[in-house]
Amino acid sequence: MRFVSFYRGDGRVVPGFIDDSRPGEACVVDVTSPANGGWAAALPADLLSWVEMDLGALAARLRDHAFPDAARLPLAGTRLAAPLPRPGKIVGAAFNYRDALKERDMAPPASPVIFIKSGRTVIGPDDPVRLAADVGNVTYEAELAVVIGRTALRIDAAQAPAHIAGYLTLNDVSASDMVRADKAFVRGKNQPTFCPCGPWIATPDEVPAPQALDVSLRLDGTLRQSGNTSDLVFGIAELIAYASTQMPLDPGDIIATGTPAGVAISHQPAAWLRPGSTMVAEVQGLGALRNPIVASLS
């Protein structure tokens, strides 16, 4: 099942899922709408709570429920938010694609290189990435991301799949000048709006081969990144297991698995993000994540 958060007409962000089982246009099912009655309308009105409840089990119940037409909204006319507007934390992986390492003439790391990105950097589809005047050169980084569904602490790679709630597309926007100046990731990865996510979370049954997904990014229509998760140095299970040895992973946390070759500095001229541009990150089967670039007002 593909889970979303979306804006109701009153401006509230609520959870739902995408249903394309009927002929014609796909729709968003407003699960917590009063029109549903019963247990569905009584569910918590945020997707993070659903993740904590177990998305897989909830999906099975939702598939068996008959939702009235009043709870079905055309997907094309519905404004989607980030699926998890405020995740607990994002654990990013650096230097984790072989093609990107080759592009930089770097050897693969001996163990995963990870960093933390604040949940407050998250924005959704079509939300603008805002560039402050003093932030320096900024790049896009299209990535496959994993949503944690169960608390994980000091687990091994064989246990990791049982802790996955789903997958989504993520764009790890990064202030490259800050990362180089600091020789650390904290500042350059944690500027406001620097983590577009979406457009939905797909449960694992929707993604049978996460180790073989195309990952791409277009900037103003030009293809800048084109890779595949088969090129990961450390796979999804290895990343989850390693991160769980460094900190507890909680339901709703996100693991960003790294980005393939083609980041801004690798192009001639460099393809730094500039106000007025638009980027579209996409992971095969997980939807396209479009975000315009604007100048920050502060």
Side-chain angles (χ1 to χ4, degrees):
M1 184 168 280
R2 292 172 292 165
F3 287 94
V4 296
S5 293
F6 67 97
Y7 290 86
R8 273 196 185 140
D10 59 6
R12 286 190 300 151
V13 175
V14 296
F17 68 93
I18 296 174
D19 182 10
D20 55 7
S21 62
R22 294 183 179 181
E25 188 175 50
C27 72
V28 172
V29 178
D30 186 353
V31 174
T32 61
S33 167
N36 297 316
W39 67 268
L43 284 171
D46 68 279
L47 192 48
L48 178 56
S49 294
W50 291 11
V51 171
E52 293 169 343
M53 292 170 60
D54 185 342
L55 279 189
L58 179 58
R61 295 182 70 188
L62 295 175
R63 288 190 187 99
D64 292 338
H65 189 77
F67 289 93
D69 288 344
R72 304 170 68 87
L73 310 170
L75 176 59
T78 302
R79 182 186 171 200
L80 300 182
L84 297 173
R86 284 291 178 269
K89 57 184 174 289
I90 298 101
V91 181
F95 316 127
N96 200 38
Y97 268 81
R98 293 183 182 87
D99 64 348
L101 291 167
K102 183 177 179 181
E103 184 176 64
R104 300 176 65 171
D105 196 24
M106 290 177 60
S111 59
V113 177
I114 62 174
F115 57 88
I116 301 297
K117 204 171 174 93
S118 167
R120 290 189 172 273
T121 62
V122 166
I123 59 173
D126 296 311
D127 289 339
V129 170
R130 301 185 180 276
L131 301 184
D134 62 349
V135 78
N137 290 319
V138 176
T139 186
Y140 47 80
E141 295 186 14
E143 310 200 9
L144 168 67
V146 182
V147 178
I148 297 298
R150 294 170 48 204
T151 297
L153 180 62
R154 293 186 292 275
I155 64 170
D156 60 34
Q159 297 170 303
H163 294 261
I164 297 173
Y167 300 90
L168 77 162
T169 302
L170 182 146
N171 189 344
D172 177 23
V173 179
S174 305
S176 296
D177 288 358
M178 288 181 172
V179 172
R180 282 197 296 273
D182 299 345
K183 295 182 174 58
F185 294 110
V186 175
R187 201 166 52 119
K189 296 287 189 179
N190 283 282
Q191 297 300 300
T193 74
F194 272 25
C195 195
C197 292
W200 55 71
I201 297 171
T203 50
D205 59 295
E206 297 265 353
V207 190
Q211 74 283 358
L213 299 177
D214 293 332
V215 179
S216 66
L217 187 133
R218 293 181 182 274
L219 183 63
D220 293 331
T222 299
L223 184 64
R224 295 296 188 178
Q225 288 185 285
S226 180
N228 189 281
T229 56
S230 62
D231 208 27
L232 290 171
V233 176
F234 300 101
I236 295 163
E238 292 173 282
L239 288 175
I240 294 172
Y242 179 81
S244 80
T245 69
Q246 307 300 301
M247 71 200 87
L249 300 177
D250 299 311
D253 286 351
I254 294 173
I255 307 291
T257 60
T259 200
V263 295
I265 199 171
S266 68
H267 297 280
Q268 295 296 329
W272 302 117
L273 299 181
R274 297 288 183 256
S277 290
T278 298
M279 55 185 173
V280 180
E282 186 167 7
V283 177
Q284 182 181 353
L286 296 177
L289 178 60
R290 175 189 178 277
N291 296 96
I293 314 302
V294 302
S296 177
L297 300 178
S298 60

